[in-house]
Amino acid sequence: RRYNRRAMSLKPVSGKTTVVVHPLVLLSVVDHYNRACKATRHRAVGVLLGSWKKGNILDVANSFAVPFEEDDKDPNVWFLDHDYLLSLFEMFRKVNAREKIVGWYHSGPQLAANDIKINEVLKRFVPHPILVVVDAQLQEQGLPTRAYVSVDEIHDDGTPATQTFEHVASEIGAEEAEEVGVEHLLRDIKDIGEAGTLGSHIQRLFASLMSLQGHLQTIASYVDSVAKGALPINHEISYLLQEVFNLLPNLDLHDFVQSISSKTSDELLVVYLASLIRATIALHNLISNKVELRQLERKDEGDDDKKKDAKDKDAKDKDGAKDGAKDTDAAKEKKP
């Protein structure tokens, strides 16, 4: 607790707090999982370091792995090395004193039965630890992180309150230096060339649309469950859905339809002009190649004619020299 005095009065709240996870944390978690847990059914567990920012934002900038063991059959049997955690945090604290323990992570991909008990252990170091589940083997498009905070669940039957996890909004964020490093790392891994190319832009757009489709399916499933009575009505969620619907544009307005049609026509005109220019340049290159090839052929033919004339001239000179030599010999024989 002495390491997190400022965090004593700060608590992550669902619907208000946003957990920002940096790329360095994701790389560390994936590296931890690949080194220790990839070929097993075990989870990678570690500690999150960060600080609170303005606007109720919890900035998770760093992390480190912690030795952790658990029994697959009995969730109550597990071990977390507190001494290792404390000593390693002391070393991190000497490097950057601003980074405090803000929570912990595991590789999931889902919540486990003993997460509440592990979270209680982390309360020795921070009053309100945040749990970030990082999917190290993400199979679908979307964010690989989900953040949770423990809250007291009060029962209507008068039984004692129990601890449960409540979802907190999370996102991936990076500073300018981190963005440059991640960009170079992606170039080395995927060999995508320069950033901002059409292919990478379309890939990011496709991933965004797939993520949007997944969220819409989740909303549709929730609304259907509420309509069937399987889930109770949550007015806060209803208000948020109403805000989403209010932000949707009215597609029936004449001005909106005309503007969309005009913009689409302009974009198609640019595509058409680009196709014409490309075809014209290709035709020009073809004609230039043919002209250049014909000039080379003519030059080769001229060189062959010159070589042939030179050979004929040499042959005539040789024949003339032989005739002159014969005449000289004949004249010498006629002399007495």
Side-chain angles (χ1 to χ4, degrees), residues 196-248:
T197 59
L198 180 60
S200 60
H201 176 70
I202 293 177
Q203 186 177 6
R204 290 194 299 267
L205 184 60
F206 176 76
S208 300
L209 292 176
M210 293 297 294
S211 178
L212 176 60
Q213 181 183 10
H215 289 303
L216 292 177
Q217 291 176 351
T218 303
I219 293 174
S221 176
Y222 169 77
V223 173
D224 185 61
S225 299
V226 172
K228 294 180 179 179
L231 291 176
I233 298 176
N234 190 317
H235 297 288
E236 185 177 356
I237 296 178
S238 301
Y239 296 151
L240 293 175
L241 291 177
Q242 187 61 47
E243 291 182 5
V244 172
F245 296 145
N246 292 336
L247 293 175
L248 294 177

Side-chain angles (χ1 to χ4, degrees), residues 4 6 15 17 53 56 64 69 100 113 118 121 128 136 147 165 176 183 196 213-214 217 243 248 257-258 288 309 322:
N4 294 274
R6 188 189 171 197
T17 304
K53 303 293 184 180
N56 206 3
F64 61 85
E69 295 289 340
K100 312 295 183 181
I118 301 174
V121 173
H128 308 290
F165 282 113
E176 184 177 358
E183 180 180 329
Q213 181 183 10
Q217 291 176 351
E243 291 182 5
L248 294 177
V257 175
Q258 187 175 4
S288 298
D309 294 339
K322 290 180 179 180

Side-chain angles (χ1 to χ4, degrees), residues 300-317:
D300 293 339
E301 291 177 358
D303 294 339
D304 293 339
D305 293 338
K306 289 181 180 180
K307 291 179 180 179
K308 186 176 181 181
D309 294 339
K311 288 181 180 180
D312 294 339
K313 186 178 179 181
D314 292 340
K316 289 180 180 179
D317 293 340

